[in-house]
PDB file of all heavy atoms in Angstrom:
ATOM      1  N   LYS A 366     -34.576-113.350  18.455  1.00  0.00           N
ATOM      2  CA  LYS A 366     -35.047-114.638  18.926  1.00  0.00           C
ATOM      3  C   LYS A 366     -34.218-115.796  18.476  1.00  0.00           C
ATOM      4  O   LYS A 366     -34.552-116.965  18.767  1.00  0.00           O
ATOM      5  CB  LYS A 366     -36.540-114.790  18.560  1.00  0.00           C
ATOM      6  CG  LYS A 366     -37.466-113.788  19.222  1.00  0.00           C
ATOM      7  CD  LYS A 366     -38.908-114.085  18.874  1.00  0.00           C
ATOM      8  CE  LYS A 366     -39.825-113.092  19.590  1.00  0.00           C
ATOM      9  NZ  LYS A 366     -41.261-113.372  19.290  1.00  0.00           N
ATOM     10  N   LEU A 367     -33.197-115.535  17.708  1.00  0.00           N
ATOM     11  CA  LEU A 367     -32.277-116.567  17.238  1.00  0.00           C
ATOM     12  C   LEU A 367     -30.896-116.189  17.772  1.00  0.00           C
ATOM     13  O   LEU A 367     -30.165-115.415  17.175  1.00  0.00           O
ATOM     14  CB  LEU A 367     -32.266-116.621  15.717  1.00  0.00           C
ATOM     15  CG  LEU A 367     -31.525-117.791  15.070  1.00  0.00           C
ATOM     16  CD1 LEU A 367     -32.126-119.136  15.497  1.00  0.00           C
ATOM     17  CD2 LEU A 367     -31.561-117.699  13.543  1.00  0.00           C
ATOM     18  N   PHE A 368     -30.526-116.793  18.899  1.00  0.00           N
ATOM     19  CA  PHE A 368     -29.361-116.316  19.660  1.00  0.00           C
ATOM     20  C   PHE A 368     -28.051-116.671  18.897  1.00  0.00           C
ATOM     21  O   PHE A 368     -27.947-117.664  18.213  1.00  0.00           O
ATOM     22  CB  PHE A 368     -29.303-116.997  21.001  1.00  0.00           C
ATOM     23  CG  PHE A 368     -30.408-116.533  21.932  1.00  0.00           C
ATOM     24  CD1 PHE A 368     -30.596-117.143  23.164  1.00  0.00           C
ATOM     25  CD2 PHE A 368     -31.280-115.506  21.604  1.00  0.00           C
ATOM     26  CE1 PHE A 368     -31.592-116.729  24.032  1.00  0.00           C
ATOM     27  CE2 PHE A 368     -32.265-115.086  22.457  1.00  0.00           C
ATOM     28  CZ  PHE A 368     -32.455-115.704  23.680  1.00  0.00           C
ATOM     29  N   ASN A 369     -27.054-115.751  19.098  1.00  0.00           N
ATOM     30  CA  ASN A 369     -25.754-115.959  18.554  1.00  0.00           C
ATOM     31  C   ASN A 369     -25.001-116.936  19.488  1.00  0.00           C
ATOM     32  O   ASN A 369     -24.811-116.693  20.663  1.00  0.00           O
ATOM     33  CB  ASN A 369     -25.027-114.603  18.490  1.00  0.00           C
ATOM     34  CG  ASN A 369     -23.711-114.709  17.743  1.00  0.00           C
ATOM     35  OD1 ASN A 369     -22.946-115.661  17.901  1.00  0.00           O
ATOM     36  ND2 ASN A 369     -23.451-113.730  16.860  1.00  0.00           N
ATOM     37  N   LEU A 370     -24.536-118.013  18.886  1.00  0.00           N
ATOM     38  CA  LEU A 370     -23.920-119.093  19.681  1.00  0.00           C
ATOM     39  C   LEU A 370     -22.451-118.885  19.975  1.00  0.00           C
ATOM     40  O   LEU A 370     -21.826-119.765  20.587  1.00  0.00           O
ATOM     41  CB  LEU A 370     -24.156-120.450  19.031  1.00  0.00           C
ATOM     42  CG  LEU A 370     -25.594-120.846  18.798  1.00  0.00           C
ATOM     43  CD1 LEU A 370     -25.690-122.279  18.283  1.00  0.00           C
ATOM     44  CD2 LEU A 370     -26.450-120.661  20.033  1.00  0.00           C
ATOM     45  N   THR A 371     -21.903-117.737  19.576  1.00  0.00           N
ATOM     46  CA  THR A 371     -20.539-117.424  20.001  1.00  0.00           C
ATOM     47  C   THR A 371     -20.542-116.914  21.429  1.00  0.00           C
ATOM     48  O   THR A 371     -19.492-116.809  22.068  1.00  0.00           O
ATOM     49  CB  THR A 371     -19.906-116.377  19.086  1.00  0.00           C
ATOM     50  OG1 THR A 371     -20.695-115.197  19.122  1.00  0.00           O
ATOM     51  CG2 THR A 371     -19.790-116.891  17.640  1.00  0.00           C
ATOM     52  N   GLN A 372     -21.714-116.567  21.946  1.00  0.00           N
ATOM     53  CA  GLN A 372     -21.852-116.170  23.352  1.00  0.00           C
ATOM     54  C   GLN A 372     -22.096-117.412  24.235  1.00  0.00           C
ATOM     55  O   GLN A 372     -22.435-118.477  23.732  1.00  0.00           O
ATOM     56  CB  GLN A 372     -23.040-115.190  23.491  1.00  0.00           C
ATOM     57  CG  GLN A 372     -22.891-113.932  22.688  1.00  0.00           C
ATOM     58  CD  GLN A 372     -24.104-113.001  22.859  1.00  0.00           C
ATOM     59  OE1 GLN A 372     -24.724-112.994  23.916  1.00  0.00           O
ATOM     60  NE2 GLN A 372     -24.415-112.256  21.810  1.00  0.00           N
ATOM     61  N   ASP A 373     -21.900-117.249  25.503  1.00  0.00           N
ATOM     62  CA  ASP A 373     -22.148-118.329  26.447  1.00  0.00           C
ATOM     63  C   ASP A 373     -23.608-118.355  26.871  1.00  0.00           C
ATOM     64  O   ASP A 373     -24.198-117.294  27.160  1.00  0.00           O
ATOM     65  CB  ASP A 373     -21.242-118.178  27.697  1.00  0.00           C
ATOM     66  CG  ASP A 373     -19.762-118.285  27.380  1.00  0.00           C
ATOM     67  OD1 ASP A 373     -19.446-118.646  26.200  1.00  0.00           O
ATOM     68  OD2 ASP A 373     -18.924-118.027  28.267  1.00  0.00           O
ATOM     69  N   TRP A 374     -24.154-119.562  26.989  1.00  0.00           N
ATOM     70  CA  TRP A 374     -25.577-119.748  27.342  1.00  0.00           C
ATOM     71  C   TRP A 374     -25.728-120.888  28.294  1.00  0.00           C
ATOM     72  O   TRP A 374     -24.917-121.823  28.285  1.00  0.00           O
ATOM     73  CB  TRP A 374     -26.466-119.985  26.111  1.00  0.00           C
ATOM     74  CG  TRP A 374     -26.346-118.921  25.054  1.00  0.00           C
ATOM     75  CD1 TRP A 374     -25.582-118.982  23.914  1.00  0.00           C
ATOM     76  CD2 TRP A 374     -27.024-117.658  25.025  1.00  0.00           C
ATOM     77  NE1 TRP A 374     -25.749-117.824  23.165  1.00  0.00           N
ATOM     78  CE2 TRP A 374     -26.617-117.009  23.841  1.00  0.00           C
ATOM     79  CE3 TRP A 374     -27.887-117.005  25.910  1.00  0.00           C
ATOM     80  CZ2 TRP A 374     -27.068-115.752  23.496  1.00  0.00           C
ATOM     81  CZ3 TRP A 374     -28.331-115.766  25.568  1.00  0.00           C
ATOM     82  CH2 TRP A 374     -27.935-115.141  24.374  1.00  0.00           C
ATOM     83  N   HIS A 375     -26.774-120.856  29.105  1.00  0.00           N
ATOM     84  CA  HIS A 375     -27.256-122.048  29.779  1.00  0.00           C
ATOM     85  C   HIS A 375     -27.931-122.907  28.715  1.00  0.00           C
ATOM     86  O   HIS A 375     -28.722-122.427  27.922  1.00  0.00           O
ATOM     87  CB  HIS A 375     -28.225-121.716  30.897  1.00  0.00           C
ATOM     88  CG  HIS A 375     -27.621-121.074  32.100  1.00  0.00           C
ATOM     89  ND1 HIS A 375     -26.987-121.792  33.073  1.00  0.00           N
ATOM     90  CD2 HIS A 375     -27.554-119.778  32.472  1.00  0.00           C
ATOM     91  CE1 HIS A 375     -26.546-120.972  34.008  1.00  0.00           C
ATOM     92  NE2 HIS A 375     -26.873-119.732  33.658  1.00  0.00           N
ATOM     93  N   LEU A 376     -27.640-124.199  28.747  1.00  0.00           N
ATOM     94  CA  LEU A 376     -28.275-125.152  27.832  1.00  0.00           C
ATOM     95  C   LEU A 376     -29.443-125.816  28.549  1.00  0.00           C
ATOM     96  O   LEU A 376     -29.364-126.147  29.716  1.00  0.00           O
ATOM     97  CB  LEU A 376     -27.295-126.198  27.345  1.00  0.00           C
ATOM     98  CG  LEU A 376     -26.049-125.697  26.596  1.00  0.00           C
ATOM     99  CD1 LEU A 376     -25.254-126.870  26.060  1.00  0.00           C
ATOM    100  CD2 LEU A 376     -26.391-124.722  25.502  1.00  0.00           C
ATOM    101  N   MET A 377     -30.518-126.054  27.805  1.00  0.00           N
ATOM    102  CA  MET A 377     -31.702-126.736  28.306  1.00  0.00           C
ATOM    103  C   MET A 377     -32.017-127.921  27.429  1.00  0.00           C
ATOM    104  O   MET A 377     -31.702-127.905  26.243  1.00  0.00           O
ATOM    105  CB  MET A 377     -32.936-125.812  28.341  1.00  0.00           C
ATOM    106  CG  MET A 377     -32.834-124.611  29.250  1.00  0.00           C
ATOM    107  SD  MET A 377     -34.314-123.582  29.170  1.00  0.00           S
ATOM    108  CE  MET A 377     -33.959-122.351  30.395  1.00  0.00           C
ATOM    109  N   PHE A 378     -32.572-128.935  28.045  1.00  0.00           N
ATOM    110  CA  PHE A 378     -33.080-130.096  27.256  1.00  0.00           C
ATOM    111  C   PHE A 378     -34.491-130.379  27.679  1.00  0.00           C
ATOM    112  O   PHE A 378     -34.788-130.428  28.888  1.00  0.00           O
ATOM    113  CB  PHE A 378     -32.229-131.352  27.480  1.00  0.00           C
ATOM    114  CG  PHE A 378     -32.821-132.548  26.805  1.00  0.00           C
ATOM    115  CD1 PHE A 378     -32.634-132.771  25.443  1.00  0.00           C
ATOM    116  CD2 PHE A 378     -33.609-133.431  27.531  1.00  0.00           C
ATOM    117  CE1 PHE A 378     -33.208-133.866  24.811  1.00  0.00           C
ATOM    118  CE2 PHE A 378     -34.170-134.550  26.912  1.00  0.00           C
ATOM    119  CZ  PHE A 378     -33.997-134.738  25.533  1.00  0.00           C
ATOM    120  N   ALA A 379     -35.364-130.605  26.675  1.00  0.00           N
ATOM    121  CA  ALA A 379     -36.761-130.979  26.950  1.00  0.00           C
ATOM    122  C   ALA A 379     -37.238-131.934  25.881  1.00  0.00           C
ATOM    123  O   ALA A 379     -36.643-132.032  24.782  1.00  0.00           O
ATOM    124  CB  ALA A 379     -37.664-129.744  26.970  1.00  0.00           C
ATOM    125  N   HIS A 380     -38.258-132.682  26.164  1.00  0.00           N
ATOM    126  CA  HIS A 380     -38.812-133.615  25.191  1.00  0.00           C
ATOM    127  C   HIS A 380     -40.308-133.790  25.462  1.00  0.00           C
ATOM    128  O   HIS A 380     -40.819-133.485  26.539  1.00  0.00           O
ATOM    129  CB  HIS A 380     -38.129-134.979  25.244  1.00  0.00           C
ATOM    130  CG  HIS A 380     -38.305-135.712  26.564  1.00  0.00           C
ATOM    131  ND1 HIS A 380     -39.142-136.780  26.665  1.00  0.00           N
ATOM    132  CD2 HIS A 380     -37.795-135.499  27.770  1.00  0.00           C
ATOM    133  CE1 HIS A 380     -39.099-137.220  27.919  1.00  0.00           C
ATOM    134  NE2 HIS A 380     -38.315-136.450  28.616  1.00  0.00           N
ATOM    135  N   GLY A 381     -41.031-134.281  24.475  1.00  0.00           N
ATOM    136  CA  GLY A 381     -42.468-134.465  24.607  1.00  0.00           C
ATOM    137  C   GLY A 381     -43.060-135.169  23.393  1.00  0.00           C
ATOM    138  O   GLY A 381     -42.327-135.667  22.543  1.00  0.00           O
ATOM    139  N   LYS A 382     -44.373-135.211  23.308  1.00  0.00           N
ATOM    140  CA  LYS A 382     -45.087-135.866  22.237  1.00  0.00           C
ATOM    141  C   LYS A 382     -45.306-134.906  21.076  1.00  0.00           C
ATOM    142  O   LYS A 382     -45.437-133.687  21.271  1.00  0.00           O
ATOM    143  CB  LYS A 382     -46.438-136.379  22.743  1.00  0.00           C
ATOM    144  CG  LYS A 382     -46.379-137.349  23.883  1.00  0.00           C
ATOM    145  CD  LYS A 382     -45.806-138.669  23.428  1.00  0.00           C
ATOM    146  CE  LYS A 382     -45.835-139.723  24.551  1.00  0.00           C
ATOM    147  NZ  LYS A 382     -45.259-141.007  24.145  1.00  0.00           N
ATOM    148  N   ALA A 383     -45.285-135.474  19.864  1.00  0.00           N
ATOM    149  CA  ALA A 383     -45.569-134.676  18.648  1.00  0.00           C
ATOM    150  C   ALA A 383     -46.922-135.064  18.087  1.00  0.00           C
ATOM    151  O   ALA A 383     -47.375-136.203  18.185  1.00  0.00           O
ATOM    152  CB  ALA A 383     -44.480-134.892  17.619  1.00  0.00           C
TER     153      ALA A 383
END
Side-chain angles (χ1 to χ4, degrees):
K366 295 184 177 181
L367 188 61
F368 292 173
N369 190 316
L370 300 188
T371 59
Q372 301 179 31
D373 294 352
W374 304 99
H375 288 279
L376 302 185
M377 296 178 176
F378 173 81
H380 65 105
K382 300 291 185 180

